[in-house]
Amino acid sequence: MSAFLLIAAGLLGGHALADVRTDAVLMQGNRAGQQTVAVNDERTVRAEYSYNDRDHGDRITATWTLDAAGMPVAYESRGHDYSKAPVEERFVLTRGKASWKNRRESGERALRGPAFYMPANPVPEFYGVLARALLKAPKGRLALLPSGSVSIERAGGIVLGEGSSRTEWFQYRIVGLDFMPVSVWLDAKGATRAVASLWLSTVAAGHETDVTQLLAKQDETNQSWFASLAGVLTQTPKGDLIVRNARLFDPRDLSVTPGMTVRVRGERVIRVAQDTQIVSEPEATVIDANGRFLMPGLWDCHAHFDGVDGMLNIANGVTSARDLGNDTDLFLKRVRRFEAGTEIGPRVFRAGIIDGKGPNAGPFKTLVESAEEAIRLVDWYADHGYVQIKTYMSLKPELVPIIADRAHARGLRLSGHVPAFMSAHQFIEAGADELQHFNYVELNFLYPRVQETTKMSQRFIEVGVHAREFTPDKTEVRDFIDFLKRHRTVLDPTMGLLEARLAGSLSDITPGLEQVARRFPAQVRRNLAAPAYAPPAGAEGAYREAVPSMLKLLKALHDAGVTIVPGTDALAGYQLHHELELYARAGIAPADVLRLATLTPAEVMGISGDQGVVAAGKYADMLLIDGDPTRDMEDIRRIKAVIKGGRIYDPADIERALGIEPRGD
């Protein structure tokens, strides 16, 4: 009998149990795992939590003991995290002295008052533990260990079921764990009933179908929060907006012209001219650029919107983005809020995801097995304003040309992960317009050995082992570059993601975020460890050469004229800056990198008539930079003002509202 079953049977230490329950873990509404929680009479709790997501997912067993105030006095956990990196964590409070140790942290502190230890890898139940402790704490506030502080607020309730099954749950929002409040659902007795989000939810067994209602209630609460911030942080000119005395970058010819003025009326630019040619009226809103660098708004071509991603994007100059896979309900409402200005966010161009069924299928509701199902799904996406289809790894290869033909007939583009049992070459020949992630370029040379797996981890690890073998001078590499150019294939390389997976460290901050992470709230910083895959034994040297080798190949692709669009698939805004820095590190001229991040995506998406350049008739999407990123790409981080559709945002104000400390310069 397992240790957990011994506890559940009340046999461990001779203590009888007060409560045992099993919760469901859902991803996008699909069952992915479970959490089992056992509580004995002495306030000692044991939880087992596990779920599967494309051969990833947490598997953690945690035990803890609480004092009379619901505060942890001991905590221990073992298992592995989402990327299957080992989890081993301990905390103990003895005679007023707290000590803790996990993979990244180790410390001790003599406490002068109550402080709640928040694990680095908490099981969902622990959010309920924190909520209950906060409800008992003076003014609903607590200091956190290792650092930070939290508070709690009640946000209404919901009635579920009818008759004898009728129950009421209450939404509590914990402030201080993330950039925005985290919702926890408790029942009338204070028991944890759900911790829900768009991607991953844990809910009491028997209430799986209620998650949709919980998320809708949370979205209502979040709407008010976002609208309040938008009202404070958005400046909407009453008359024309005039940006004067700027050094204007034009991605069409890579020129930088000093002494330029831009006049905006409503959401569009109406005139661009030398300073002396535009007069400022008294009712106009005038921004004196003082010679700063003015450029078109940036694009993130690989996003999956959630949380405060919209605000982080705008704070970092990202005024347009492609969402390459999301839910098909609440996300659409969020995009409408971005458009209306009631939530701060960029222009969003939506791609609908399609996968097949299988053990490593994506956590989506949009899984197809037949041509008829695939065609119906493409039509649904087209009818709902999507502009692109994205395939995934478990899709049957024979469905790709059928999806491609239907997508193109409906005016949609086709891109994606290359499905198993296909090469990138075959995927493109079947009708794909674009590849997501640079590892699929490398995997083309490893076909069929690696592409026969749907395991996401192997599609990174094998690239780490072999990337250095595929240099631009190899005949097979040159032939594939020529093939991509002939087919006008677009690459969305997400080089920052590859760097994090193959050159990052499980004990360190994700590469490219080291400096900005220092400014983030304490609990956010703890979640920024690189999602790295450890190299197989003997492959350490190959791993070290993988990212430099891929950057050389990226440069060769760019030089050959293959279209590249920058995307992140990671932390919104900040990670895009690092993506551009990686392109510059590869040897692509900074001005060319700026073109890839502004005009090129607009051309790829067929909207260069509206976006991509600061010019008359275009949307007024632009950013003002204190520096010159055509000379030093790191200056892309020094943004002083962002304008989207004529609305003005101060990045420092947005960051401050999210608990991010100001830059030191």
Side-chain angles (χ1 to χ4, degrees):
M1 185 179 289
S2 71
F4 181 79
L5 290 177
L6 287 170
I7 291 178
L11 299 177
L12 189 62
H15 297 300
L17 287 176
D19 182 49
V20 180
R21 75 169 198 273
T22 298
D23 301 327
V25 177
L26 310 177
M27 296 199 71
Q28 290 272 302
N30 299 312
R31 184 68 180 254
Q34 68 178 31
Q35 173 185 249
T36 305
V37 180
V39 184
N40 73 15
D41 291 336
E42 297 182 352
R43 295 190 298 270
T44 298
V45 183
R46 180 182 176 98
E48 289 191 351
Y49 171 62
S50 64
Y51 69 94
N52 177 63
D53 175 24
R54 297 161 289 176
D55 87 293
H56 290 61
D58 296 37
R59 181 176 292 277
I60 297 173
T61 298
T63 59
W64 61 86
T65 302
L66 308 176
D67 65 14
M71 303 285 285
V73 294
Y75 179 92
E76 183 173 352
S77 69
R78 292 178 181 273
H80 62 71
D81 66 10
Y82 178 81
S83 297
K84 298 196 173 180
V87 169
E88 186 171 352
E89 185 164 12
R90 291 184 179 87
F91 164 80
V92 64
L93 176 62
T94 305
R95 298 186 182 91
K97 184 177 182 180
S99 60
W100 60 89
K101 183 176 178 59
N102 56 55
R103 190 173 64 222
R104 293 183 56 209
E105 303 162 334
S106 178
E108 59 181 38
R109 184 179 307 162
L111 301 184
R112 297 180 178 178
F116 188 102
Y117 180 76
M118 193 66 186
N121 296 96
V123 296
E125 172 62 19
F126 216 73
Y127 291 95
V129 175
L130 176 56
R132 289 186 288 274
L134 281 165
L135 290 172
K136 293 180 179 180
K139 299 182 179 180
R141 297 179 179 273
L142 283 171
L144 284 182
L145 291 173
S147 59
S149 62
V150 285
S151 61
I152 195 166
E153 56 191 30
R154 183 164 162 172
I158 186 171
V159 175
L160 302 171
E162 297 177 352
S164 61
S165 63
R166 185 182 185 277
T167 185
E168 187 172 9
W169 295 358
F170 302 95
Q171 181 187 176
Y172 292 92
R173 287 158 56 88
I174 301 175
V175 179
L177 291 179
D178 206 339
F179 291 121
M180 68 179 295
V182 174
S183 290
V184 180
W185 291 87
L186 307 180
D187 64 17
K189 295 181 179 179
T192 312
R193 307 308 286 162
V195 179
S197 70
L198 278 180
W199 289 98
L200 183 65
S201 299
T202 301
V203 63
H207 289 274
E208 292 86 344
T209 58
D210 292 328
V211 168
T212 299
Q213 295 184 64
L214 300 181
L215 291 175
K217 281 291 185 181
Q218 290 179 192
D219 191 58
E220 288 179 12
T221 306
N222 291 339
Q223 284 183 48
S224 299
W225 188 80
F226 281 121
S228 176
L229 289 175
V232 172
L233 298 171
T234 305
Q235 180 184 356
T236 304
K238 295 181 179 179
D240 286 358
L241 167 64
I242 298 175
V243 183
R244 186 173 291 285
N245 188 24
R247 299 174 62 247
L248 180 62
F249 171 72
D250 191 329
R252 293 171 294 192
D253 59 9
L254 308 184
S255 63
V256 180
T257 307
M260 298 298 290
T261 291
V262 178
R263 182 187 287 274
V264 176
R265 183 166 297 160
E267 61 179 359
R268 292 187 182 265
V269 175
I270 63 169
R271 186 174 296 275
V272 178
Q274 288 288 329
D275 288 334
T276 56
Q277 298 177 3
I278 295 181
V279 177
S280 302
E281 300 81 6
E283 62 274 15
T285 297
V286 179
I287 297 176
D288 187 349
N290 288 314
R292 290 189 177 94
F293 189 91
L294 184 66
M295 64 174 287
L298 299 170
W299 280 70
D300 184 341
C301 293
H302 197 132
H304 299 278
F305 278 87
D306 197 9
V308 297
D309 288 352
M311 295 179 68
L312 294 178
N313 273 312
I314 293 297
N316 286 278
V318 178
T319 58
S320 296
R322 298 190 310 185
D323 186 287
L324 296 186
N326 220 307
D327 89 303
T328 54
D329 180 22
L330 296 180
F331 169 62
L332 303 187
K333 296 178 182 178
R334 163 165 279 180
V335 172
R336 290 195 286 271
R337 296 198 297 267
F338 287 166
E339 294 169 350
T342 56
E343 182 175 341
I344 295 173
R347 305 181 191 278
V348 179
F349 300 83
R350 290 169 281 136
I353 202 161
I354 300 179
D355 199 7
K357 296 179 180 179
N360 295 308
F364 320 117
K365 299 176 182 177
T366 51
L367 307 180
V368 302
E369 288 288 282
S370 67
E372 293 76 15
E373 290 175 336
I375 289 171
R376 281 199 299 270
L377 191 51
V378 171
D379 285 343
W380 188 93
Y381 282 131
D383 292 342
H384 288 80
Y386 288 70
V387 296
Q388 190 162 313
I389 299 295
K390 177 188 174 185
T391 64
Y392 218 67
M393 296 176 290
S394 295
L395 184 69
K396 292 177 180 178
E398 60 267 28
L399 294 180
V400 173
I402 295 170
I403 291 171
D405 289 349
R406 190 64 168 192
H408 293 151
R410 296 298 307 268
L412 278 64
R413 305 177 69 254
L414 177 64
S415 70
H417 294 212
V418 177
F421 307 102
M422 290 187 90
S423 67
H425 192 284
Q426 293 167 339
F427 182 57
I428 293 163
E429 286 188 324
D433 305 297
E434 179 179 334
L435 293 177
Q436 260 74 62
H437 306 301
F438 201 77
N439 51 327
Y440 287 104
V441 174
E442 302 282 357
L443 288 169
N444 186 72
F445 310 123
L446 294 171
Y447 179 81
R449 178 165 61 87
V450 178
Q451 276 299 104
E452 290 184 351
T453 180
T454 58
K455 287 188 174 182
M456 185 165 59
S457 57
Q458 288 304 111
R459 294 180 171 214
F460 285 95
I461 292 170
E462 292 293 334
V463 168
V465 173
H466 296 287
R468 65 181 180 179
E469 301 168 16
F470 306 118
T471 55
D473 61 313
K474 295 281 185 71
T475 299
E476 63 179 325
V477 176
R478 292 201 307 270
D479 288 348
F480 190 54
I481 291 174
D482 291 342
F483 172 81
L484 295 173
K485 178 65 187 305
R486 288 197 310 274
H487 283 77
R488 300 182 182 276
T489 305
V490 176
L491 297 183
D492 159 26
T494 63
M495 296 305 297
L497 178 64
L498 271 291
E499 182 188 40
R501 296 285 195 187
L502 302 177
S505 168
L506 294 170
S507 300
D508 296 328
I509 296 292
T510 297
L513 299 178
E514 298 90 345
Q515 297 301 315
V516 69
R518 299 174 183 175
R519 303 194 287 119
F520 286 174
Q523 290 301 310
V524 175
R525 281 200 305 273
R526 301 180 78 202
N527 296 321
L528 291 179
Y533 295 119
E540 294 83 1
Y543 251 51
R544 284 192 293 272
E545 294 182 43
V547 172
S549 297
M550 286 188 283
L551 290 176
K552 289 179 182 177
L553 182 52
L554 182 75
K555 174 65 159 53
L557 286 157
H558 176 264
D559 290 348
V562 176
T563 300
I564 296 167
V565 292
T568 59
D569 198 10
L571 179 66
Y574 301 98
Q575 196 68 37
L576 181 70
H577 296 164
H578 183 59
E579 184 79 9
L580 304 185
E581 290 166 352
L582 286 172
Y583 296 0
R585 188 190 303 173
I588 302 174
D592 284 321
V593 174
L594 295 185
R595 175 163 53 194
L596 298 181
T598 54
L599 179 57
T600 300
E603 292 174 336
V604 166
M605 301 309 294
I607 55 169
S608 57
D610 284 325
Q611 294 181 235
V613 180
V614 179
K618 313 284 188 183
Y619 283 125
D621 299 346
M622 46 192 160
L623 50 148
L624 199 58
I625 295 175
D626 193 4
D628 188 346
T630 64
R631 298 182 179 180
D632 184 349
M633 188 51 63
E634 288 190 7
D635 283 352
I636 198 69
R637 300 176 183 270
R638 301 167 62 88
I639 301 172
K640 296 300 180 183
V642 177
I643 299 166
K644 177 209 162 190
R647 297 183 174 120
I648 308 166
Y649 302 93
D650 183 332
D653 288 344
I654 295 176
E655 289 187 329
R656 190 176 301 110
L658 298 177
I660 302 171
E661 295 178 359
R663 290 175 58 100
D665 53 19

